[in-house]
């Protein structure tokens, strides 16, 4: 996952976390719902990044953590009434940014991770069996 529950608290606060992920209205957030929302948000981010980067990223830029939180808070809200206009706008901004990264207009600011090798190609084969010298007099 690209973000944690603590990242949500740092950006939105404990009260907003509790309200967004309180399925049974007991005043506390459901940890399983938070984890599921962050996982789905990370997977959504990977969907945009996989064409340009090796996912999941091993180095996560700070702004990507924020986007993961924004996506999780918007799409993971257990009560649709808790999806505020601010959450909707932050989600849309995150998706716009990820689309631009996917289209190559914006870079994450990290190097694309190597898939290995130095590139290039090499071909090897056996010596030729039939050569002009071997076939003299046959044709």
């Amino acid at each position: 996952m690209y973000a944690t529950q603590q990242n949500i608290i740092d950006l939105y606060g404990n009260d907003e976390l509790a309200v967004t992920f309180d399925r049974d209205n007991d005043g506390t957030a459901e940890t399983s719902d938070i984890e599921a929302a962050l996982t789905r948000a990370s997977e959504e981010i990977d969907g945009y990044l996989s064409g340009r980067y090796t996912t999941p990223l091993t180095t996560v830029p700070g702004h990507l953590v924020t986007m993961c939180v924004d996506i999780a808070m918007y799409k993971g809200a257990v009560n649709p009434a808790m999806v505020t206009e601010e959450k909707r706008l932050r989600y849309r901004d995150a998706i716009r940014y990820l689309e631009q990264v996917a289209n190559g207009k914006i870079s994450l600011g990290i190097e694309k991770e190597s898939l290995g090798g130095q590139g290039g190609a090499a071909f090897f084969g056996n010596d030729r069996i039939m050569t002009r010298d071997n076939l003299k007099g046959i044709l």
Side-chain angles (χ1 to χ4, degrees):
M1 290 187 300
Y2 295 129
T4 64
Q5 180 173 335
Q6 186 59 49
N7 295 131
I8 296 175
I9 293 168
D10 293 345
L11 288 168
Y12 281 95
N14 252 330
D15 291 340
E16 191 64 30
L17 176 77
V19 169
T20 303
F21 294 102
D22 183 9
R23 181 174 302 281
D24 54 8
N25 295 320
D26 65 353
T28 59
E30 309 302 326
T31 305
S32 60
D33 289 336
I34 297 167
E35 296 296 320
L38 289 170
T39 298
R40 284 192 308 272
S42 297
E43 290 169 350
E44 186 168 349
I45 289 169
D46 283 346
Y48 284 98
L49 301 182
S50 62
R52 297 193 130 353
Y53 298 93
T54 303
T55 57
L57 300 175
T58 54
T59 303
V60 183
H63 60 282
L64 204 60
V65 172
T66 303
M67 287 179 209
C68 185
V69 168
D70 290 340
I71 293 168
M73 290 292 285
Y74 175 74
K75 292 188 107 175
V78 295
N79 181 353
M82 294 315 305
V83 178
T84 63
E85 188 61 25
E86 177 188 354
K87 287 179 187 170
R88 187 174 291 111
L89 291 173
R90 290 178 125 199
Y91 170 76
R92 287 181 185 160
D93 288 345
I95 296 303
R96 260 189 240 117
Y97 179 87
L98 292 169
E99 287 171 344
Q100 290 181 340
V101 171
N103 292 329
K105 294 179 181 177
I106 296 177
S107 170
L108 288 179
I110 59 175
E111 291 293 320
K112 183 173 181 175
E113 296 171 5
S114 174
L115 296 176
Q118 295 291 324
F123 297 95
F124 301 96
N126 296 328
D127 291 335
R128 292 179 65 186
I129 296 172
M130 298 179 159
T131 65
R132 288 181 193 227
D133 292 334
N134 292 348
L135 296 175
K136 277 189 183 171
I138 297 175
L139 296 175

